[in-house]
Amino acid sequence: MSDSDFDTALITAFFRTVGEEGWRRTTVAAAARAAGLSLAEARARFPGRAAVLLRFGRLADQAALTGAMADGSVRDRLFDLLMRRFDALQAHRAGVLGLLRALPRDPPTALLLSCATNRSMRWMLQAAGVPATGVRGRLQVRGLVAIWLWVLRAWERDDTNDLSRTMAALDSALARGEQAAVWLCGAGRRAPREQAEGPVPQEADGSVPESEPPSDPPAD
């Protein structure tokens, strides 16, 4: 069995156990025994549950990035990437739902997944052709994380076979995110001029007053 096959088998058994027994009662050893895998190799490759979650996140990213759209708008490419990632979660739905239910009572795991989600969303942006560095890049990553988490709640409630409710929620969220991104870019272009020239004066009704012609120079 290759390393990749071993990881897939253990992760599948791990999330199946979470779905059946709950997050708190699931261990790497229990998952390895359930899948008939070597405990020694499981220990070497997955020292603890955190290692399983991080590996699962990377596999979900790989599933999203493999065969992703090379053309189309940024919104279309992000939709494709994130739905591929949701498909990866859907394959282990019961276990992922069990994990999500346990997170409010497990702050260390919640923090671990928060950091991992930030890294994943940075990859999704870059794969869609959006720079994710600098101040604006960090804002865009945070925005996509917010979109992912909001749609994740829709996925939790989605009982359709084709994830149509998740797709609708993602499409709506990306549309709002696209508007925010356009506003952000526009604000960034205006900022240097406003800082150099100061705010534009306005009348009481909000209109911009006409500029007055310069006065005549004083007579000698």
Side-chain angles (χ1 to χ4, degrees):
M1 179 182 291
S2 68
D3 289 348
S4 178
D5 290 340
F6 186 95
D7 292 357
T8 299
L10 190 138
I11 288 170
T12 298
F14 182 88
F15 279 104
R16 183 170 60 246
T17 305
V18 173
E20 296 170 354
E21 303 292 337
W23 168 252
R24 296 189 66 179
R25 300 181 62 183
T26 300
T27 64
V28 176
R33 283 194 298 268
L37 300 171
S38 164
L39 288 173
E41 188 170 357
R43 171 64 179 84
R45 297 188 62 76
F46 298 97
R49 296 186 300 178
V52 177
L53 297 182
L54 292 176
R55 178 62 174 147
F56 176 60
R58 289 194 296 270
L59 289 175
D61 289 346
Q62 290 174 17
L65 296 169
T66 301
M69 293 175 57
D71 301 317
S73 66
V74 168
R75 178 175 162 186
D76 289 342
R77 280 177 280 172
L78 284 174
F79 181 91
D80 179 63
L81 287 162
L82 296 184
M83 277 310 305
R84 287 173 180 270
R85 208 167 188 275
F86 277 115
D87 287 339
L89 269 59
Q90 183 72 5
H92 306 280
R93 183 175 181 84
V96 174
L97 291 177
L99 169 63
L100 293 176
R101 287 192 295 268
L103 287 181
R105 299 182 298 277
D106 191 343
T109 300
L111 179 60
L112 174 79
L113 291 180
S114 175
C115 295
T117 299
N118 272 274
R119 289 192 296 268
S120 293
M121 293 305 108
R122 181 174 291 107
W123 265 101
M124 298 303 107
L125 281 172
Q126 291 172 340
V130 179
T133 57
V135 174
R136 195 166 78 184
R138 288 194 294 271
L139 288 174
Q140 288 170 322
V141 170
R142 290 176 61 182
L144 192 59
V145 168
I147 288 173
W148 171 261
L149 294 178
W150 188 82
V151 181
L152 184 64
R153 290 195 290 270
W155 175 80
E156 291 181 67
R157 300 187 298 268
D158 192 348
D159 57 359
T160 61
N161 292 328
D162 60 355
L163 296 183
S164 58
R165 293 176 183 172
T166 303
M167 288 191 285
L170 178 57
D171 186 61
S172 175
L174 286 174
R176 292 196 298 271
E178 187 177 45
Q179 293 173 355
V182 170
W183 174 85
L184 180 63
C185 292
R189 285 194 298 268
R190 289 194 301 270
R193 180 179 175 182
E194 291 176 354
Q195 291 172 0
E197 300 179 0
V200 178
Q202 294 182 343
E203 299 287 4
D205 61 356
S207 62
V208 178
E210 296 181 0
S211 58
E212 297 178 0
S215 58
D216 294 330
D220 293 333

